[in-house]
Amino acid sequence: MKAIKAIAVLSVLAVALAGVAAIGAVDAEEDGTQIYPYSLGTMYLGTTGATATILIKVNESAYSQYNVTPVWTYGTDGSAFSDTVSGMTITETASTTNVGEYTFEISATTAPSSGYLYFLYTATVKVTESSESSVVETLYYKLAIVSGNAGVEISLANAIAYIGVSYDETPEYTISTISEEPIETDNYTFYATGLPDGLAMAYNGVISGMVVDSVATGEYPVTVIAVDSTTDGENSGTVYTGTVTITVASSPAYSEGFEYVVYKGSETTEVMSTPYIVASGNSFTVKVTEASGKNIDYTNSAVYVTDTTGTEKIVSETGVYTYNTDGTGELRVTIVCSVSGVIYSTEFYVYVVDDLVSVHAGIEIVATA
């Protein structure tokens, strides 16, 4: 009777998995029958190879009353299995505390021609150690191994950077293997290579700066690397790469396309002259108007005000923008206008100081003519 019971227990082994977890992998599917093979997700090798840690849990406790001999073997074609695989290092560790839990460390530098590493789990079960009767049950798993990295798509609302003009853009990043919607950048760390001199990418994926005068105009392909920085997710540590093109363009003289006036306070108050000085807590207004014979597209024009905390991008369909100052320091104001399909720009500075009465009171006349 016990031998029959052993066979009955083993017949459900294939559908009694407790679960599968892996770095860069997905949970194994279960639908009441063994799926051949259970998928462990994808291992991306990058340019120099990679190491993955995979945890597989088999419900060995279901037949713990019997004598069980589990063996793991590996292969790359799904049919031939052995203890080792050419071009890879596989280290298997069985848990001493959790029955049926196995951890695999896999290192590889090249992807197998099949694109997969297959795992074969073979369990030989006897009613007793000396019993001649035994039952053999198998389970199969596969890990996809590919060269390169998973892809990330980058979308830039403004992909044109003008020489000498502040640039500050937050791209949208989409990883199609995770979701068709843009990702939450808080869970990733970003890097970029190939940016024009003067531009840089922050760890949150924002591209900002000002292209320097020595940079030639033209298209610059930029490689973006996004690393999943979570510590407990199924994609933790996964590297994603993508490319985006930024076009560097020269900035024509603003006087050819538009004019501007700076007011102290609102548009209806005093017109200021250089140097523009404003008392802290007060405001100033920039009004942009068309040069003679020109036509400004205000929906594609902007005023940027940069202070010590960053850049604020303002788009005004009226051409009038009021900025409320807070604190003291130097503000760089950049105007970029689309005029008859041509981009024009200029910049100037506004100096925010303490109360002007106090400033003037501190001026001492030491001599007169």
Side-chain angles (χ1 to χ4, degrees):
M1 290 297 295
K2 272 211 166 186
I4 295 174
K5 185 176 181 181
I7 294 173
V9 170
L10 286 168
S11 67
V12 299
L13 174 61
V15 295
L17 296 180
V20 178
I23 288 180
V26 295
D27 289 342
E29 300 177 47
E30 300 180 49
D31 64 358
T33 59
Q34 178 177 340
I35 300 171
Y36 176 80
Y38 290 100
S39 174
L40 299 175
T42 304
M43 176 180 177
Y44 296 96
L45 299 182
T47 56
T48 59
T51 299
T53 301
I54 295 177
L55 176 65
I56 298 178
K57 297 178 181 178
V58 180
N59 190 15
E60 291 179 353
S61 59
Y63 49 88
S64 57
Q65 59 184 306
Y66 304 102
N67 189 273
V68 183
T69 305
V71 176
W72 288 93
T73 51
Y74 318 95
T76 57
D77 63 2
S79 58
F81 294 87
S82 64
D83 294 337
T84 60
V85 175
S86 177
M88 296 186 196
T89 301
I90 305 172
T91 303
E92 167 204 336
T93 304
S95 173
T96 58
T97 55
N98 298 317
V99 176
E101 187 171 295
Y102 298 88
T103 301
F104 301 86
E105 293 285 343
I106 304 164
S107 295
T109 55
T110 57
S113 58
S114 66
Y116 292 97
L117 171 64
Y118 293 90
F119 297 68
L120 173 62
Y121 172 86
T122 305
T124 303
V125 182
K126 294 184 179 182
V127 176
T128 64
E129 186 175 353
S130 59
S131 173
E132 294 183 1
S133 300
S134 63
V135 174
V136 177
E137 186 62 83
T138 57
L139 290 173
Y140 296 89
Y141 303 84
K142 70 175 181 179
L143 172 68
I145 301 180
V146 298
S147 300
N149 299 300
V152 56
E153 297 178 8
I154 305 104
S155 175
L156 273 173
N158 176 23
I160 301 177
Y162 296 97
I163 296 172
V165 176
S166 296
Y167 183 87
D168 192 328
E169 291 295 324
T170 302
E172 285 190 345
Y173 299 96
T174 305
I175 299 174
S176 59
T177 56
I178 296 177
S179 172
E180 295 301 322
E181 298 297 322
I183 61 175
E184 294 291 337
T185 56
D186 291 347
N187 295 328
Y188 298 84
T189 302
F190 293 87
Y191 309 89
T193 59
L195 284 168
D197 286 349
L199 300 185
M201 174 173 283
Y203 289 144
N204 63 0
V206 174
I207 303 173
S208 62
M210 181 184 295
V211 178
V212 299
D213 293 341
S214 59
V215 173
T217 58
E219 294 185 347
Y220 287 77
V222 178
T223 299
V224 176
I225 300 170
V227 182
D228 188 319
S229 55
T230 57
T231 58
D232 56 358
E234 63 182 20
N235 296 309
S236 298
T238 302
V239 177
Y240 305 90
T241 62
T243 58
V244 65
T245 298
I246 292 181
T247 300
V248 173
S250 58
S251 299
Y254 77 93
S255 59
E256 297 177 12
F258 68 90
E259 299 170 353
Y260 71 90
V261 179
V262 181
Y263 296 89
K264 183 181 295 183
S266 68
E267 180 188 353
T268 60
T269 56
E270 177 187 348
V271 175
M272 298 173 64
S273 58
T274 57
Y276 302 119
I277 301 176
V278 179
S280 179
N282 293 323
S283 62
F284 65 91
T285 298
V286 179
K287 181 178 182 179
V288 180
T289 57
E290 299 166 344
S292 178
K294 301 295 184 179
N295 182 25
I296 293 180
D297 177 6
Y298 287 107
T299 60
N300 289 307
S301 300
V303 175
Y304 301 80
V305 178
T306 307
D307 58 18
T308 56
T309 63
T311 302
E312 182 177 4
K313 179 181 178 181
I314 306 298
V315 177
S316 172
E317 293 188 14
T318 64
V320 178
Y321 169 60
T322 298
Y323 186 90
N324 297 307
T325 65
D326 181 18
T328 61
E330 180 182 88
L331 303 177
R332 184 175 71 235
V333 180
T334 304
I335 303 173
V336 180
C337 277
S338 176
V339 182
S340 302
V342 179
I343 297 297
Y344 298 88
S345 68
T346 190
E347 70 177 27
F348 58 89
Y349 290 85
V350 174
Y351 303 93
V352 183
V353 299
D354 287 322
D355 187 274
L356 291 179
V357 174
S358 299
V359 172
H360 291 170
I363 298 175
E364 180 181 358
I365 300 177
V366 296
T368 58

